[in-house]
Amino acid sequence: MATNIDFKNLWQRQTAEKPSIEELLGRLKKFKNENLRRLLVTNVLLILTSLFIGFIWYYYQPQFLSTKIGIVLVILAMLIFLFAYNKLFSPIYKLDNTQTNAEYLQSLYSLKSKQKFMQTTMLNLYFIMLFAGISLYMYEYASRMEMMYAVLTYGLTFLWVAFNWFYLRPKTIRKQQGKLNGLIHKFEEINQQLKEQEIS
C-alpha cells in the first residue's frame, strides 16, 4: 500500500465545474431584476406612507409642535432614505453586454461599497430619524392617556423598532451581502481563468 500520495497532482486533475460566463451573466441579470423590483416596491411603499402621514397631518390638525416636528422627521427620514437608495443601484443598471468581465467586476465592487454605506450610515440615520419622529408624534396622544397606557404604547413602539433593528435589519443585510459576494466571487473566478488562459 503506497503512502506517498501526490496531493498536488490529484488536485490539478480534479474536474470541478467552472462557472461559465453565460451562466454568470444570467445570474447577474436575475440579481439586477430582483433589485429593480425591490427598488420599485420600496419607492411605492415609502411614497404612499409619506402621503398617508401628510394626510393625517392635514385631516387631524395636531396641536402640539412636537407632533408636527415628528411628522416632518418621519417623512424626511423616508425621503432621505429613498434618495440614497435610488442612487445605490444606478451603476449596476447601466451595465450592458459590451462590457468586459473586468468592467462587470469593477461595477460589482463599486456596488458593494455603496451597499455598505447604505446598510450602515444611511440605514442608521433612517432608523434614528424614524424613531425620533414617531416618539415625538406620539407624545401629543400619549399625554392624553393614563400613564400605564402611555408607557405601554411607547414600550410596544420601542420593541417594534428594536425587533427591526436587531433582527430584521441584520438578516436582510446578510442576505443582500451574500448574493452580491457570491456574484463577485464568481466573476473573480472567471477573471482568474481568463488570466490563466492568457499566460498559457
Side-chain angles (χ1 to χ4, degrees), residues 9 11 24 37 49 69-70 88 93 98 113 118 121 126 145 149 151 157 161 185-186 200:
N9 190 27
W11 180 260
L24 207 46
R37 269 194 306 276
T49 304
I69 293 172
L88 177 66
Y93 296 123
T98 62
S113 170
M118 188 70 197
T121 307
Y126 174 72
M145 298 177 184
Y149 292 117
V151 169
T157 303
V161 171
H185 178 70
K186 293 295 183 186
S200 58

Side-chain angles (χ1 to χ4, degrees), residues 53-134:
I53 292 169
F55 170 75
I56 288 173
W57 184 350
Y58 173 78
Y59 188 78
Y60 289 103
Q61 294 293 313
Q63 302 301 309
F64 288 16
L65 181 62
S66 61
T67 311
K68 295 170 185 174
I69 293 172
I71 290 172
V72 169
L73 267 177
V74 168
I75 292 174
L76 197 58
M78 292 180 187
L79 293 179
I80 290 171
F81 182 81
L82 275 182
F83 178 74
Y85 192 62
N86 286 331
K87 288 180 75 174
L88 177 66
F89 291 104
S90 60
I92 199 76
Y93 296 123
K94 291 178 184 172
L95 291 174
D96 59 37
N97 294 332
T98 62
Q99 290 181 308
T100 65
N101 187 56
E103 288 170 332
Y104 278 121
L105 195 53
Q106 193 56 47
S107 294
L108 290 173
Y109 285 142
S110 172
L111 179 62
K112 184 175 181 175
S113 170
K114 289 179 181 179
Q115 187 183 64
K116 186 174 174 123
F117 172 75
M118 188 70 197
Q119 292 167 341
T120 54
T121 307
M122 292 312 298
L123 212 49
N124 291 346
L125 179 66
Y126 174 72
F127 268 98
I128 290 166
M129 289 178 72
L130 193 66
F131 183 66
I134 290 171

Side-chain angles (χ1 to χ4, degrees), residues 137-194:
Y137 173 79
M138 288 171 38
Y139 177 72
E140 179 175 344
Y141 307 104
S143 67
R144 298 173 188 163
M145 298 177 184
E146 290 179 24
M147 179 62 81
M148 185 183 78
Y149 292 117
V151 169
L152 182 65
T153 302
Y154 270 99
L156 289 174
T157 303
F158 178 75
L159 283 175
W160 172 77
V161 171
F163 174 74
N164 278 281
W165 181 260
F166 294 111
Y167 179 72
L168 291 181
R169 184 183 67 93
K171 185 178 176 182
T172 304
I173 288 172
R174 278 194 304 272
K175 188 177 175 183
Q176 289 174 350
Q177 286 176 342
K179 286 182 179 180
L180 187 54
N181 288 339
L183 273 174
I184 288 172
H185 178 70
K186 293 295 183 186
F187 271 103
E188 285 173 338
E189 279 183 24
I190 294 277
N191 245 9
Q192 190 60 37
Q193 286 176 35
L194 293 173

Side-chain angles (χ1 to χ4, degrees), residues 2-14:
T3 56
N4 55 343
I5 300 169
D6 187 355
F7 286 104
K8 187 177 180 184
N9 190 27
L10 283 172
W11 180 260
Q12 288 174 342
R13 284 188 292 164
Q14 72 178 353

